[in-house]
Amino acid sequence: MKDVYLLSGFLGSGKTSLLTDLLRQLKAQGLKPAVIMNEFGKLPFDSQAVDEDIPLKEMLEGCICCSGAEKTEAQIQGLLHGPEFDVLVIETTGAAHPVEALDAVYSPIFADQLHIKGIITVADSKRFLERETLPVQMRSLFLEQIRHAHLLLANKIDLLTDSEAAKVVQDIQQVNPHAFIVQTTHAKVPLNVVERLSATTSQFPVEKAPITSLQLSTRLVTFTTPVEREVFEQWLRALPDTIYRMKGYVWVKGITNPMLFQYAYGMVQWLPEYVKMSPQLVIIGENVNELKVPSI
C-alpha cells in the first residue's frame, strides 16, 4: 500500500514550500516519494522544486477536480507502473475543493493499492484574518479547504503579532474543530505529525477508526455477494447528506458483470459495464466507517 497525502490551500499559501520540505524529510527517512503536481497554466513552474530523482507527473491547464477523473487515474496508473515509490504527495491548485480533489484521486481501479493518509491544508494566516475582504466565492472555497482538512497549517505566522496569531488559531478551530492545527513559518511541519494522519477506514466489518476526530474520510467496499438493486437504492435514499461521493462497480443480482456506479450529493447513475471489473466501491464523506452497506 502506498501512502497518499493531498496538499490543499490557496495560491501563495505555501503549498510548494510544504511539498519541498516534506520530500526532504521523506528522503531523509529512507522513503521514496512520488509527486503529482496540478497547475492552472501551461508551464510547470512549481515542478522545478522537485528533484530529478523523484517520479513526477504534472497536470497542467486545469484544476485536478475538474480535469476529469480519467486524466487523474491515468497519471496515478503511470506512477504505479513506473519506478517503485513508498509515498505519493499530490499538490492541488489553489482552486481545488478538497472533496472534489479526493474524488478525482481515489479510483476503485487502484484503491486497494493506496492508503489516503489525509488532506493537509496550508492557510495563509494573514489572508485568513482578512477573509471578509475576499470575494464571496473565494472566501467560501477558502473556508471549505479549511473545513475538510485533517491537518491544518496556520502558515506565515511570523508575520502576525502574538494576539493575531492566537485569534487565527481560535477562528480556524471554529471552522474545523477536528483537525490538528500547527502554526508554521515557511510551511515547515515535522514528518511525524504528518504520518499520524489516517483518512482511509478499513473495510466492513469495521471497528472504531484509529483517529476518531477526522471528518472527511474514505472507505473501500468489496462486494462478496450480489445486491438487490431495489434494496441498494433504498439504502441510497436513506443516506445522510454527509456522504458526498461514491464510485465503483456494484455487483447486482441478475446481471453478469458488476455495473459502473456513480453517486454525487444524492444523484445516482448506473451504467452497464462490458468488462468484468472487480466489485469494489469507494465511499467518500464523513464518518463513512459507520455505514452498513447491503450485501457485503
Side-chain angles (χ1 to χ4, degrees):
M1 293 281 282
K2 317 290 187 184
D3 287 342
V4 182
Y5 297 97
L6 213 65
L7 309 188
S8 174
F10 261 50
L11 287 169
S13 62
K15 291 193 304 297
T16 303
S17 296
L18 170 61
L19 173 67
T20 304
D21 193 56
L22 275 182
L23 295 178
R24 177 190 62 79
Q25 293 187 72
L26 287 167
K27 291 174 73 174
Q29 291 289 330
L31 297 171
K32 297 178 181 178
V35 175
I36 290 179
M37 299 193 78
N38 181 206
E39 300 191 55
F40 264 127
K42 296 182 179 182
L43 298 177
F45 291 109
D46 288 344
S47 63
Q48 299 170 15
V50 180
D51 293 340
E52 292 183 1
D53 63 334
I54 295 176
L56 170 68
K57 294 290 184 181
E58 296 164 327
M59 296 181 63
L60 306 179
E61 294 190 89
C63 175
I64 192 171
C65 54
C66 52
S67 296
E70 296 83 2
K71 186 174 180 180
T72 309
E73 287 176 2
Q75 297 286 37
I76 295 176
Q77 286 281 60
L79 286 173
L80 290 172
H81 287 93
E84 186 63 29
F85 66 92
D86 304 304
V87 180
L88 175 59
V89 184
I90 301 171
E91 181 186 349
T92 64
T93 72
H97 188 289
V99 174
E100 309 287 345
L102 192 60
D103 179 52
V105 168
Y106 205 8
S107 165
I109 295 174
F110 43 70
D112 56 354
Q113 300 178 60
L114 302 179
H115 179 238
I116 308 294
K117 294 283 283 183
I119 297 171
I120 307 172
T121 294
V122 187
D124 182 323
S125 297
K126 189 171 182 61
R127 178 177 283 178
F128 182 75
L129 284 179
E130 300 169 350
R131 61 191 179 280
E132 295 301 326
T133 65
L134 297 173
V136 174
Q137 285 185 317
M138 187 180 293
R139 182 170 69 248
S140 176
L141 177 58
F142 192 9
L143 295 177
E144 283 290 283
Q145 289 173 341
I146 290 172
R147 188 170 81 84
H148 289 293
H150 302 109
L151 174 63
L152 275 160
L153 306 189
N155 197 32
K156 305 183 183 180
I157 208 73
D158 55 312
L159 302 181
L160 304 182
T161 64
D162 289 345
S163 60
E164 287 174 331
K167 180 169 175 52
V168 163
V169 172
Q170 183 179 19
D171 287 358
I172 286 178
Q173 283 177 330
Q174 290 180 352
V175 178
N176 184 345
H178 305 278
F180 187 65
I181 302 172
V182 182
Q183 294 181 328
T184 59
T185 300
H186 304 303
K188 292 185 182 296
V189 59
L191 184 60
N192 64 340
V193 173
V194 173
E195 290 178 328
R196 291 182 203 147
L197 300 176
S198 183
T200 303
T201 62
S202 58
Q203 294 188 30
F204 191 88
V206 294
E207 298 177 0
K208 277 289 184 181
I211 303 179
T212 56
S213 62
L214 295 184
Q215 286 187 302
L216 187 62
S217 55
T218 61
R219 176 175 163 196
L220 175 64
V221 168
T222 300
F223 294 91
T224 55
T225 58
V227 301
E228 292 278 2
R229 180 163 169 174
E230 184 177 339
V231 171
F232 192 79
E233 290 187 340
Q234 285 177 351
W235 172 74
L236 291 173
R237 287 192 287 271
L239 286 173
D241 57 11
T242 51
I243 302 302
Y244 305 127
R245 293 281 195 273
M246 281 189 257
K247 59 182 179 181
Y249 302 92
V250 178
W251 192 6
V252 179
K253 283 185 180 179
I255 299 177
T256 304
N257 294 327
M259 293 190 70
L260 176 62
F261 174 79
Q262 300 261 11
Y263 173 96
Y265 298 104
M267 302 295 291
V268 174
Q269 182 182 42
W270 294 92
L271 292 172
E273 179 57 57
Y274 302 103
V275 178
K276 190 170 185 179
M277 303 296 291
S278 179
Q280 293 185 316
L281 182 68
V282 172
I283 304 174
I284 301 172
E286 299 178 27
N287 302 316
V288 295
N289 58 321
E290 297 177 4
L291 284 178
K292 292 185 178 180
V293 183
S295 295
I296 61 168

